[in-house]
Amino acid sequence: MEPETSQLRRLQTAMAEAELALARRMQTNPTDLAAMGHLAGSAGPVGPTWLSGRLGLTPAAATELVDRLERAGHVERRRDSVDRRRVQLVPTESALSEVGGRLAPLLAALDGVVAGFSSEQRQTILDYLEQVGTAYADFARQSPEPDGPPDADSSSTPPEGTPPRSAP
């Protein structure tokens, strides 16, 4: 393994630890924080079915998660303007502000690190990170989908498009 790849693995561990620390500071659990991250990072409004697929949760578990986030004031359910039967999940301004405020010291530290590099070095770093991101995205697309979430039981309904589970 190349030294840069080893450093990426260390970075992944540090990022996971930072996410756990952020979840503790926000008094939430890592799954709820991951859900908030997916909602905040989505290109537009999304629904509970999309969120359950992103997190690998059953629809029932995703509903419980959204209920928790809504009670905590982190997300709002809004009716779709075109199809009123559909619900869209939108992170609240207070949740975005809280996450942003708690991440501000980390983001400032990261900006401080990169400020020490020349323009050419920064471009090389940016190129490398873009290629690494592409490698991760390609890996994710090529990975076969599991039959269902690990904690799914036979009484739950799998997300749309999930093939039926085969008997062990």
Side-chain angles (χ1 to χ4, degrees), residues 45-67:
V46 298
T49 302
W50 179 87
L51 186 60
S52 71
R54 294 294 293 173
L55 295 171
L57 299 174
T58 63
T63 298
E64 281 184 44
L65 179 145
V66 172
D67 289 345

Side-chain angles (χ1 to χ4, degrees), residues 14-35:
M15 290 172 70
E17 291 170 355
E19 286 184 17
L20 288 173
L22 179 60
R24 282 191 302 272
R25 291 172 189 161
M26 291 188 65
Q27 299 179 340
T28 190
N29 67 59
T31 303
D32 290 6
L33 182 64

Side-chain angles (χ1 to χ4, degrees), residues 54-135:
R54 294 294 293 173
L55 295 171
L57 299 174
T58 63
T63 298
E64 281 184 44
L65 179 145
V66 172
D67 289 345
R68 282 193 309 272
L69 292 177
E70 189 174 41
R71 280 192 307 272
H74 296 311
V75 71
E76 294 176 353
R77 287 178 168 108
R78 295 186 185 159
R79 291 284 169 198
D80 186 292
S81 60
V82 176
D83 183 349
R84 304 288 297 160
R85 297 170 296 174
R86 298 185 64 167
V87 173
Q88 296 177 339
L89 305 174
V90 180
T92 63
E93 287 301 319
S94 63
L96 295 174
S97 178
E98 181 181 3
V99 171
R102 293 186 184 272
L103 287 177
L106 173 60
L107 297 176
L110 295 175
D111 286 345
V113 169
V114 78
F117 291 97
S118 70
S119 294
E120 294 82 17
Q121 290 172 316
R122 289 174 74 160
Q123 186 59 54
T124 299
I125 293 167
L126 185 59
D127 291 344
Y128 174 72
L129 292 174
E130 287 174 352
Q131 291 176 37
V132 166
T134 299

Side-chain angles (χ1 to χ4, degrees), residues 146-157:
D147 289 340
D151 60 345
D153 61 43
S154 59
S155 65
S156 64
T157 304

